Amino acid sequence: MRTSQFLISTLKEDPKEAAVESHRLMLRAGMIRQVASGIYTWLPTGMKVLSKVQNIVREEMDKTGALEIAMPMVQPAELWKESGRYTKYGPELCRFKDRKENEFALGPTHEEVVTDIARREIKSARQLPICLYQMQNKFRDEIRPRFGVMRGREFLMKDAYSFHMDKESLNKTYQDMYDAYSRVFTRMGLEFRPVEADTGSIGGNHSHEFQALAEAGEDTIAWSDGSSYAANIEMAEALAPTYDRAAPGAEYSEVATPGCHTVDEAAKALGIESNQVLKSLIVHGDKKEDGTNELVMLCLCGNQELNEVKAIKIPGIADPLEMATEEEINNFTGAHTGSLGPVGFKGRILVDRTADKMANFACGANKTGFHLINVNWDRDVPKYEVFDLRNVEDGDPSPDGKGTLHLRKGIEVGQVFMLGTKYSEAMKATVKDENGKDIPMIMGCYGIGVTRAIAAVIEQHHDERGIIWPEAIAPFKVAIIAIKPSKSQEVKDVAETLYADLQKAGVEVLYDDRDERPGVMFADIELMGIPHIITIGEKSLKEGMIEYKLRKTGNKENIPVKDALKTIM
Ligand code: ATP
Ligand code: MG
Ligand code: MG
Ligand code: MG
């Protein structure tokens, strides 16, 4: 590509509206332009990066065996009413009517539409498992669109949805997606960390987010360097006020309301022996009618012989995949619906069910500060303890006792969810089992914020001169800068020849033939983040040399003209 034929839309001045580096650099490098709040056009330079990222995502999705489809952005309200989310989703869902007064919504996510496809197209259990994905614009009327495409209102998401007969199959696809996400973000050059996450308005009972580490991130993640523990502190956001009532190291029973405070009590309520295995423990904060928060406790207990899992006193939602009825889910005013509103409870802790010594912690933040709370349950010590770890700093010991806890800001670039049968039950997406009985399909869903991930890459890869693209997603791999070609036929010839050779070799090259002042051309090319820069000027050509610069390190060297191709490839 010649710059004379390309749209170089670089800005010399810093745009005032940009509060983070990625937004500033995407505007300055001419990648994006705002059309309305949270709504952007991708210009040619940006589009080149976007297509590369899309290709990576597509390649990795295809490798898992997922099948690409394209669903509409405009979705009939009927489907959302069937799932129950039409009223629950809140003002982020953009609702409208067509000329015939039919109600519609702009898709913020596609569980309803894809579940409708599945119930029509999948007739037999033999067709399962199946995973469908798309890359498509979503619309969410975010309360605070900001940071450019990092929190847009219209943004590109890759969303995938899987359908299964049994949980083993879901587990496998979940793991395949988790691995594919790790490959996607690695190929994009992101430093990231998968963390346990809240399931928000999507629902489900088990979820991980992929967090790109960056100071500009809106999320805070806590991770231990001595165990696999990592979580988004958003998980227990509004739990925090509740913990005000618990002094550090207090017995859990001091703050627990209903439920059981000792293993013996739990066992008695369940009618099991107290040495039987506690499988799962979920702690909820609940909002009472008077507006105060209350910590409630739910224990799911069972052992290998007990096939069913029972709950003790459920003032909130149980584990949907295991046991909660749709009614329980719908009636719960805490965790799930709370996360849809501007404030409210947003926490959930799922404890590793396979461990017999259980320890886990909830992390929360509220408007006034940052809190970490550890809820520890040990089978050998028949009591719960709450450790109030508020105001912990990076480098405290990890609450699970293993290693050191670290806090980092993160940008959520992807999330994988085990959905269970939330949508398939509500929308009757069933297949027949071997006995001819209709069974709701078990679902998973998996999202990547494609456009946000690009901003995250820039947050991690830039310097004072501009973006430093990882090669795999750079708009061009090489830039050729010709110094005053109008004054030197030799400069022009060498540049043209190199340009032709690079193109022949399949290298994406931007040939700056603008005949501008060198400083102007350098500034643009470096701002745009092109990894390899070759400068052709009369002076060095006299010695048969051209200048080669690696954007990442800033290293410059003169190389013989004939070595140019070899150096870059
Ligand atoms: P957030 O917590 O940042 O609001 P989310 O949890 O609501 O994100 P998901 O429903 O998990 O988002 O959607 C899948 C992915 O889509 C997210 O992991 C994120 O990368 C991306 N995404 C979500 N909202 C936006 C947005 N407003 N702008 C850009 N990307 C977004
Ligand atoms: Mg959101
Ligand atoms: Mg989130
Ligand atoms: Mg999410």
Side-chain angles (χ1 to χ4, degrees), residues 81-100:
K81 286 178 182 167
E82 269 191 73
S83 75
R85 280 207 295 183
Y86 196 61
T87 45
K88 274 193 204 162
Y89 205 92
E92 248 181 51
L93 183 69
C94 178
R95 302 160 170 88
F96 65 97
K97 284 184 182 163
D98 68 7
R99 66 169 79 195
K100 293 179 186 145

Side-chain angles (χ1 to χ4, degrees), residues 213-276:
L213 303 176
E215 273 311 303
E218 293 180 278
D219 290 346
T220 303
I221 59 170
W223 60 282
S224 163
D225 62 14
S227 69
S228 62
Y229 189 83
N232 187 335
I233 65 158
E234 180 189 78
M235 278 180 83
E237 208 164 77
L239 266 183
T242 311
Y243 296 114
D244 287 336
R245 289 151 54 190
E251 299 284 306
Y252 181 71
S253 54
E254 285 180 16
V255 290
T257 37
C260 302
H261 306 138
T262 67
V263 173
D264 283 338
E265 276 179 57
K268 202 162 151 225
L270 282 170
I272 60 172
E273 296 296 321
S274 53
N275 61 1
Q276 287 177 315

Side-chain angles (χ1 to χ4, degrees), residues 161 308 469:
Y161 306 86
E308 56 176 323
W469 287 114

Side-chain angles (χ1 to χ4, degrees), residues 89 92 140 142 151 201 346 412 452:
Y89 205 92
E92 248 181 51
R140 296 183 182 181
E142 296 277 354
R151 183 166 300 282
S201 58
K346 208 177 178 178
E412 182 194 325
R452 178 186 286 183

